[in-house]
Amino acid sequence: MADVADVADVAEVPDLAGLAADAWRLTGAASDAAPAPGRVLLGLAGPPGAGKSTLARALVAELGAGAAYLPLDGFHLSNAQLDRLGLASRKGSEPSFDVHGYVALLRRVLDDTGRDVYVPDYDRTLHEPVAARHVVAPGVRLVVTEGNYLACDLPGWRDARELMAACWYVEAPGAVRYERLVERHAAGGRAPDEARARVVGNDGPNGELVETSRGRCDRILSTIGMDMFKYRP
């Protein structure tokens, strides 16, 4: 894991092919060679709206069958559990995720390489987590996992971070993230005023917590200027 002093202050704006080659090297292989036996995890952390899921999906698509996608969003607590815990208004906050279930799946993905491992996701139409939307097949050697809190120095998240061969921090200017998040909430059915209030009252504080983890990441990336990353809410 990188020290705070080892992480560049200025975010890189790399190209997709170069990032994919760097990610593949985590498997112990050059970009044009077969990986070493086993499987590794690459984490993408960063605040809401930074473009983590878009970048993760783009990397997996670029790498092909040797890579797979594992989003933290599949470990959102259900709406029923959020209601029970009094967290409905704080959906997306750090305690609204099943971090221990997430860590358990990361460990299984690393250890159980001989069979399909199914991965949950979050459905923005249902507003609920859904089981088995993604799969990590036996031939996969690099799993790209992304989520807000992957590098946070907090119980459970520290365990997740230790399992990753590397964790890259994805960021974007606050104004850009604000517009992306308002668009996301509006697409999910919220009225414009409600969408803006949700960003200010929930996503904003969540992002402030995530920003404290920036120095625990190995590399800082920006999606601004990466034309292939058309943001998908």
Side-chain angles (χ1 to χ4, degrees):
M1 185 186 306
D3 251 354
V4 173
D6 295 332
V7 178
D9 290 332
V10 179
E12 304 174 54
V13 186
D15 64 277
L16 179 61
L19 273 184
D22 291 346
W24 191 246
R25 288 188 190 96
L26 296 173
T27 67
S31 58
D32 59 350
R39 182 177 285 162
V40 297
L41 293 168
L42 167 62
L44 301 180
K52 299 179 299 296
S53 62
T54 301
L55 176 54
R57 290 172 183 271
L59 283 171
V60 170
E62 180 77 7
L63 289 166
Y69 176 54
L70 195 164
L72 171 63
D73 274 359
F75 292 87
H76 269 286
L77 297 180
S78 69
N79 292 328
Q81 296 305 323
L82 293 175
D83 287 340
R84 180 180 68 84
L85 296 168
L87 289 170
S89 66
R90 295 288 284 126
K91 190 172 188 175
S93 64
E94 183 271 329
S96 73
F97 288 89
D98 176 16
V99 62
H100 301 295
Y102 174 65
V103 171
L105 184 62
L106 294 185
R107 288 187 172 130
R108 185 183 168 202
V109 160
L110 290 174
D111 294 340
D112 192 358
T113 59
R115 70 188 79 193
D116 288 341
V117 178
Y118 294 100
V119 173
D121 202 348
Y122 184 79
D123 191 297
R124 296 191 184 280
T125 300
L126 298 174
H127 302 291
E128 290 276 16
V130 293
R133 176 167 283 175
H134 307 288
V135 62
V136 180
V140 166
R141 291 296 172 260
L142 176 70
V143 176
V144 182
T145 183
E146 54 84 14
N148 295 343
Y149 307 104
L150 271 53
C152 283
D153 189 14
L154 293 169
W157 305 106
R158 285 190 290 264
D159 298 328
R161 177 67 182 90
E162 289 297 323
L163 295 172
M164 298 171 196
C167 188
W168 298 347
Y169 189 89
V170 183
E171 64 183 13
V176 173
R177 293 192 289 109
Y178 176 85
E179 293 300 327
R180 289 172 173 177
L181 291 166
V182 169
E183 180 184 347
R184 177 188 298 177
H185 291 310
R190 297 182 185 274
D193 287 349
E194 186 183 6
R196 288 190 287 270
R198 183 75 175 185
V199 175
V200 172
N202 188 50
D203 297 321
N206 295 342
E208 290 173 5
L209 172 60
V210 174
E211 285 167 0
T212 67
S213 72
R214 189 178 190 270
R216 287 171 53 80
C217 296
D218 302 293
R219 189 172 181 177
I220 310 298
L221 305 173
S222 173
T223 55
I224 303 302
M226 300 176 79
D227 293 339
M228 69 289 290
F229 301 131
K230 182 177 179 182
Y231 188 77
R232 295 189 302 271

